């Protein structure tokens, strides 16, 4: 069986509560050995991150390293 959320039945995609029912939101699915990220606008385009890469990304976002 494919371990990616796109290949698993009932993938647990989550989005921030701030998005509500919005159409332009980041979505995340966490598997034992990977974290998958996609946009609700392009759900077929999935990025696979290692847990370490995910922690680094979240840390950088929290530290304001991205100009959003």
């Amino acid at each position: 069986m494919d371990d990616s959320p796109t290949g698993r039945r009932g993938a647990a995609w989550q989005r921030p509560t701030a998005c509500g029912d919005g159409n332009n939101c980041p979505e995340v699915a966490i598997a034992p050995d990977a974290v998958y990220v996609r946009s609700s606008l392009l759900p077929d385009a999935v990025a696979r991150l290692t847990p370490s890469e995910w922690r680094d990304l979240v840390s950088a976002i929290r530290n304001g390293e991205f100009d959003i």
Side-chain angles (χ1 to χ4, degrees):
M1 174 164 49
D2 184 355
D3 188 39
S4 74
T6 55
R8 291 180 7 206
R9 289 187 204 135
W13 287 102
Q14 301 174 28
R15 62 172 57 191
T17 55
C19 286
D21 292 330
N23 291 350
N24 188 10
C25 297
E27 298 178 333
V28 176
I30 299 175
D33 64 342
V35 178
Y36 300 91
V37 182
R38 70 182 184 184
S39 167
S40 60
L41 293 176
L42 298 168
D44 291 333
V46 178
R48 181 185 188 276
L49 304 174
T50 66
S52 178
E53 290 169 330
W54 173 248
R55 283 189 296 273
D56 290 346
L57 175 62
V58 171
S59 178
I61 291 169
R62 288 181 177 156
N63 290 330
E65 295 181 28
F66 296 99
D67 187 21
I68 301 175

